[in-house]
Amino acid sequence: MAEPILEVRDLTFSYEGFSTPVFRDISFSVSPGDIFVILGANGAGKSTLLNCMTGILTQYRGEILLHGRPLRQIPIRERALMMGYVPQVAVPTFNYTVRDYVVMGRAPHIGLLGTPSEEEYARADAAIREMGIEKLSSKLVTRISGGERQQVQIARVLTQGANLIILDEPTNHLDFGNQLKILDIIKSLSEQGLAIILTTHMPDHAILLDGRIGILDHTGHMTAGALRDVLTESALKQLYDTDLRLLHIDELGRDICVAVGRRKAP
Amino acid sequence: MKKIISILLSLTLILGLLAGCSTPAAEGECDSPAPSPSASSGAGADTVLYTDNCGREVEIPTDPQRIAALYGPTFEASLLLGLADRVVASMGGSLTAWAQVVYPRAAEIASINNPQTPNVEDLTALDVDLVMHWSTPDALENMENAGLTALGLSAAEPTWSTTDEYVQAVKDEYRTYATVLGDDAMERYQLWEAYFDEKLDYLDSRISTLSQEDYPTVYYIRSNENDGLQAYLNHHGAEGEVMLAGGTLVTGDYDASVNSYGTVTMEDVIGWDPEIIILGRCTDTGMIYDNPAWSSITAVQNGDVYVGPNGVFYWDSSSERVLNILWLAKLLHPDLFEDLDMVAEVQEYYSTFYGYDLSEEHAKLILAHQDPA
Amino acid sequence: MSHRTKRWMLAGFAVVLVFVFLICLCVGRFYVPPLQTARILFNCLAEGIFHAPLEVTWNDSMESIILNVRFPRLLAAVLVGAGLSVSGAAYQGVFKNPLVSPDLLGVSAGATVGASLAILLGCASTLIQLSALAGGFLAVFITVSIPKLFRNNSSTMLVLAGIIIAGFMSSLQSLMKYIADPEVELSSIVFWTMGSLASIKMTDVLMVAPAMLAAFVAVIAMRWRVNLLSLGESEALSLGVHVSRVRGLLILCSTVLTACSVCMCGTIGWIGLVIPHFSRLIIGEDNRYMIPASVLLGASFMVIVDTFARNLTGSEIPLSIITGVLGTPVFIWLLKMQKVRVQ
């Protein structure tokens, strides 16, 4: 087992003035090649957890270690060299070309007063090729579809050169086909040795990714572990407060998660 | 129902429009013709009917006892005409250091700091029976509504174009003040008028030996606003004074403005290239000498930048303008007026008209635009 | 549009600026033949650098007009136009909002209060300018301190603080106008708030030029960082940008540029809002090109505006009036061109 890139130990966070913590005693770790999927209900604290992990929120109890060092003590630029973040898909305010947008990922490698050189652009082009979006290279980021924008953002985070990537609900707002495309990309990135953490609403996606799971429940506790152990029907029913089944499909060779739905009257 | 509402709405709209269109005409000064002091008695033994510069017929006391001299030159005029004892309120800026030397009671007169929009309650509390004010209809109406007797005494449009007309305009101005102030003001005015005429004859006798080409060109700065670019323009008293002293005001043909002073541009001044520069209501010649933009001007190169005198009130606008004309004449034509002793002239004026014996040092301070030590 | 094209465009803008500057130097109420203007300028260079003066074919008045009246004015116009435009551009990137102007954090309001106070106290023009600088910096200082007070460092909090301080300064300004003596001080204050380069001297320009040049260099050097900041705080943070530090630096530079501009010529509206939009329209939204373009276009625009101000009518028209009259329809036209997306 490789040295963990990110370790979360007994993480507890409450907003100032609130006695009830958003979540408590969360522990998990992520090593190169791992995929860690965080499932949680709306309002359970997934965004807060992500904000703690990316260093936006710092008033937590417990510890987050990045490459063994406390996250809060790592300077911002160094942190960006080790950890990349793909936010939920949003339309940027200004009209940059995809190529210019992707090269922004090289920011931690460029000084305060610098601009991207030919070399940096070469890396951006490489990432664009890796994601297979060359045809988008000179288009404006505001004029491409949501799915394309998600790919562009992943290309950007790749140019950062970090070996840990955190994605916030990467399949939101995407159509069915694009959702699966992104999941494929995530899987291939992990196969290349990157560590991936992502949040999602779709248990089925968690199954497709076949990584480790953390379920964040209403009380703020996380149950983390291997897919098979943690992702049980009862856990999911409790999480989503809805009737569902985990079924094994022989034809596909995998489990799926389906909602029971309303039964039609016979 | 809908029909009734729409008719009512339309009526309201039309009425509103009509009401809006009947608001009084533009603010600002009235544009009635030259002030002719017309007082017709008959409205009562102690009041007189007077038509002011706005054409308003106002019933004023024949001998006002509690006067608010708010319009700039009126306090000094009351001093000149011997009735300063009747002034209970005055524009802040006219109770000057020299006014207080010459007339110590000035320190006790109520100083009004917003004379163009006076607080009617303050004036009423002072039991003012006559307000000498600018010819601004709004302010006058305000005071009238509060039961105060107010007169608009400033001239809105320039009223003269030749030196003779200027002299007449000055005389008319002080005659107006004399009429309004009542009592023996008119007699004292006539003394002053005789003095004015005497001095004018004296100046004319010498200056008429010159032709207009010998008149030096003068640029007359008003205040230190805009670094010396605020100057007296055509039809300000200063132009008349310069002309009577045998000079030509370079701004004489500038765009006429109601205020008769305004801001010119640096390029204009360089273009006029005046021979003499005079600072009217300011004293810092450094403002001109230290500014490289002025360096090419003849007056600057020859060191001919002078500070004008300042006394009981600004010499360009008070009755002391007679002294100003003398001072200017001596400055512009030193060879013609070698025997003119300005110190003696100032002393004579102050003792004759203000009843104050000015020492030689004080006279020199006044001529140097300085405050009493 | 390729990067190469954009670089050529910037070069073109620079050439335009030089041309506009030279042409406007020849225009004025006092006629100086263009040939003499050129000779006077060259003589300055020849004398100063090569110690070999040209033969004098002009008179003192002409030299005074060109070197002491028009040149400092145009130089000031260049600095003010560029300064306000760049401040606007930087703020628009930092605050992710294309509708923001350099007065966002209250610098103009504060500078105006500082100048008014000095005018009321009867100070000389140099003191008035220093007072304006101090007022501008003080206002921004208070504005950036408010978020620290509430321990909320977001840009929204900053904008709110700016609105509060600008509003407060505005009431102070009204108080000053009320106190002012209507004969002398009030008109001075009002004229100052409308903007004019009429009384500018070379010493005034030299007083603020070094600070402004330093700020220009800093903002232009950081122009790619503005791109990063325009992605939003959390994204920029994730890319390793020290958001509060870079934002602080940009705010400092913009404050220097705007405060120095205001202290030279009073407050002038619209430039900080319209010129960056105009630059975006022509050269695109990438700040690497948009910011230098704003510098050049803003400078040219201001030179032209000032030339109108001093030549259109007999008296000087305040600069704000011209920029407003020209700026408003231009802005409406820009909105119509739909290059400005209001979100």
Side-chain angles (χ1 to χ4, degrees), chain A residues 38 81 125 134 173 182 207 257 264:
Chain A
I38 301 177
L81 290 168
D125 290 332
E134 292 100 316
H173 306 306
I182 294 296
I207 296 171
C257 174
K264 284 206 179 132

Side-chain angles (χ1 to χ4, degrees), chain B residues 225 267-268 292-293 296 301, chain C residues 29-30 60 64 68 70 184 199:
Chain B
E225 223 180 283
E267 299 202 9
D268 285 326
S296 68
Q301 291 185 343
Chain C
R29 294 165 66 78
F30 183 91
D60 272 350
S64 200
N68 292 324
R70 291 190 200 158
V184 181
S199 327

Side-chain angles (χ1 to χ4, degrees), chain A residues 181-211:
Chain A
K181 211 170 166 182
I182 294 296
L183 292 177
D184 260 342
I185 291 172
I186 292 177
K187 280 200 89 167
S188 74
L189 288 177
S190 85
E191 275 155 26
Q192 288 169 34
L194 294 172
I196 315 252
I197 301 177
L198 63 130
T199 58
T200 183
H201 280 311
M202 309 285 288
D204 211 42
H205 288 179
I207 296 171
L208 277 170
L209 286 172
D210 199 21

Side-chain angles (χ1 to χ4, degrees), chain B residues 93-338:
Chain B
S94 54
L95 299 169
T96 63
W98 284 111
Q100 291 179 33
V101 162
V102 152
Y103 181 72
R105 192 190 145 252
E108 291 158 43
I109 295 179
S111 168
I112 306 288
N113 280 328
N114 48 346
Q116 296 189 324
T117 48
N119 187 322
V120 293
E121 296 190 12
D122 284 341
L123 292 176
T124 313
L126 286 166
D127 203 13
V128 164
D129 61 3
L130 180 70
V131 181
M132 299 172 83
H133 197 261
W134 279 265
S135 305
T136 42
D138 285 342
L140 293 170
E141 207 179 295
N142 226 19
M143 289 186 273
E144 208 180 293
N145 283 340
L148 293 165
T149 311
L151 294 177
L153 295 174
S154 60
E157 290 292 323
T159 56
W160 53 269
S161 40
T162 66
T163 46
D164 286 340
E165 288 176 11
Y166 171 64
V167 169
Q168 190 56 45
V170 174
K171 291 180 177 175
D172 286 342
E173 186 185 337
Y174 284 88
R175 200 176 294 125
T176 304
Y177 300 146
T179 311
V180 161
L181 288 169
D183 210 323
D184 60 350
M186 192 52 81
E187 283 155 40
R188 305 185 113 257
Y189 163 73
Q190 270 148 6
L191 279 170
W192 183 82
E193 192 189 66
Y195 168 85
F196 190 18
D197 281 329
E198 186 196 315
K199 294 299 174 188
L200 287 175
D201 287 338
Y202 163 69
L203 288 168
D204 188 52
S205 66
R206 306 218 181 162
I207 292 175
S208 56
T209 61
L210 301 167
S211 66
Q212 273 248 264
E213 285 100 65
D214 300 328
Y215 285 18
T217 52
V218 177
Y219 175 69
Y220 207 147
I221 296 175
R222 184 175 181 270
S223 75
N224 57 6
E225 223 180 283
N226 293 329
D227 287 333
L229 293 177
Q230 193 198 62
Y232 294 117
L233 306 179
N234 48 329
H235 298 127
H236 190 277
E239 191 194 7
E241 291 152 33
V242 166
M243 280 159 64
L244 285 168
T248 310
L249 200 65
V250 292
T251 47
D253 290 321
Y254 208 71
D255 299 335
S257 59
V258 174
N259 271 339
S260 64
Y261 65 86
T263 306
V264 300
T265 68
M266 194 67 237
E267 299 202 9
D268 285 326
V269 184
I270 295 181
W272 292 319
D273 198 23
E275 295 165 70
I276 311 259
I277 294 179
I278 303 178
L279 274 63
R281 302 187 183 189
C282 49
T283 54
D284 181 20
T285 53
M287 176 172 74
I288 306 300
Y289 282 130
D290 295 339
N291 188 340
W294 296 77
S295 57
S296 68
I297 295 174
T298 306
V300 174
Q301 291 185 343
N302 295 339
D304 284 326
V305 179
Y306 302 99
V307 180
N310 190 54
V312 169
F313 195 57
Y314 302 119
W315 273 27
D316 61 87
S317 304
S318 76
S319 72
E320 292 154 300
R321 69 183 78 192
V322 187
L323 293 169
N324 201 29
I325 300 172
L326 289 171
W327 179 84
L328 282 168
K330 191 173 170 81
L331 181 74
L332 298 178
H333 304 286
D335 38 309
L336 284 181
F337 293 96
E338 240 176 307

